[in-house]
Amino acid sequence: MKFQFLNNGLPVEVDFADEDVERIFIPLLERLSDMQKQKGGRILVMLAAPPGAGKSTLAAFLSELADQRGMQPITVIGMDGFHRYQEDLLSHYTVRDGETISLVQIKGAPETFDLKKLTERVQRVAAGECLGWPAYDRLLHNPVEDQVTVEGDIVLLEGNYLLLDEPGWRDLSDYADYTIFLKAPLSLLQGRLVERQIASGKEPDKARQFVEKSDLYNARTVLDHSKPADLVIDADGMNM
């Protein structure tokens, strides 16, 4: 099943196998619909995955699939809109491997997100509010406020660290009615991450260096330190 959409300002085209659609994704949508009807109000679903696994693609696809099949609509939002602004990252520093570096050099790590702001918005979404939600533009390298209106009875929030089992972060999933983890091997993630950095404007050598020093570090953090999810999906073998 071919699917096209924009991911953080960049065009994406994927082709999901019909078998996966019928075996995994349709039953998942049916389960979420049943959960919402039983609750009688909004449900918040959290989809976590390491960078490059395809979580944004999967979230957008699930929303499109629900529309095509006449199922309950899904509002998709992401945590990437809670990146700290580029100017902030350039002026703040951290220590990694004994070296003092600016936060912009590890952009995408947990400490480069505004966790307080994210938590406050998640609380409001879980409470059923209608509100604006920011998105991240990879071409601008900054969040853009109020790009999505959060409404409807099924809201799907995707992000790397939604299930991170570390102080502050581990409390986020308490607001979720259902959690999903999309796993993938590091060997698969590395190639995708380099391609993504090149697509956002980096030279190939700089893209590979950034992935080695930052993205793969973040991927290991997610894979090794995430809480168990209600559903685990293996991205290996899927075209995401």
Side-chain angles (χ1 to χ4, degrees):
M1 181 176 181
K2 292 187 181 299
F3 175 57
Q4 295 178 327
F5 75 112
L6 287 177
N7 181 15
N8 294 330
L10 300 175
V12 176
E13 180 176 342
V14 293
D15 188 4
F16 287 93
D18 291 341
E19 178 185 357
D20 292 331
V21 172
E22 298 297 332
R23 180 177 60 88
I24 301 173
F25 303 132
I26 293 296
L28 171 59
L29 293 176
E30 292 173 342
R31 180 170 189 176
L32 297 181
S33 180
D34 289 342
M35 288 179 62
Q36 189 281 319
K37 291 175 182 176
Q38 290 175 9
K39 183 176 181 179
R42 175 183 290 168
I43 64 168
L44 174 58
V45 182
M46 290 187 179
L47 168 60
K55 62 189 178 303
S56 299
T57 301
L58 177 57
F61 174 71
L62 288 171
S63 179
E64 176 68 17
L65 183 62
D67 290 344
Q68 288 187 8
R69 297 296 179 99
M71 306 175 77
Q72 273 191 288
I74 295 178
T75 300
V76 174
I77 52 178
M79 64 166 279
D80 278 357
F82 295 88
H83 272 97
R84 293 166 64 175
Y85 280 83
Q86 193 80 350
E87 297 81 3
D88 188 25
L89 297 176
L90 285 166
S91 61
H92 288 79
Y93 298 84
T94 189
V95 176
R96 180 173 287 187
D97 298 329
E99 179 185 1
T100 300
I101 57 176
S102 67
L103 287 179
V104 77
Q105 292 178 259
I106 58 167
K107 190 171 184 177
E111 57 265 45
T112 66
F113 287 87
D114 189 336
L115 178 57
K116 180 180 178 181
K117 181 179 177 183
L118 172 62
T119 301
E120 290 172 348
R121 295 287 184 94
V122 166
Q123 290 172 336
R124 294 174 61 189
V125 171
E129 288 189 39
C130 178
L131 67 153
W133 193 269
Y136 184 79
D137 193 310
R138 293 189 185 280
L139 300 181
L140 297 176
H141 303 292
N142 264 326
V144 181
E145 297 295 330
D146 298 331
Q147 292 299 290
V148 179
T149 299
V150 182
E151 55 188 358
D153 291 328
I154 302 179
V155 176
L156 174 58
L157 171 59
E158 56 88 5
N160 294 331
Y161 306 116
L162 298 175
L163 294 176
L164 188 63
D165 194 9
E166 292 185 0
W169 289 98
R170 66 169 59 99
D171 302 325
L172 276 177
S173 60
D174 291 345
Y175 299 99
D177 296 279
Y178 192 76
T179 57
I180 305 168
F181 189 78
L182 181 63
K183 68 176 183 178
L186 286 174
S187 57
L188 175 65
L189 298 175
Q190 185 171 15
R192 290 180 176 179
L193 290 167
V194 170
E195 290 176 1
R196 188 166 73 183
Q197 291 298 325
I198 293 174
S200 67
K202 283 188 173 67
E203 295 295 327
D205 286 345
K206 291 184 177 180
R208 284 189 286 270
Q209 290 174 8
F210 183 86
V211 168
E212 288 290 340
K213 291 184 177 180
S214 181
D215 281 343
L216 287 183
Y217 184 98
N218 298 335
R220 292 187 184 96
T221 297
V222 174
L223 291 171
D224 296 341
H225 301 287
S226 288
K227 297 164 62 177
D230 296 313
L231 174 66
V232 177
I233 300 175
D234 192 346
D236 196 14
M238 291 187 185
N239 184 20
M240 288 192 292

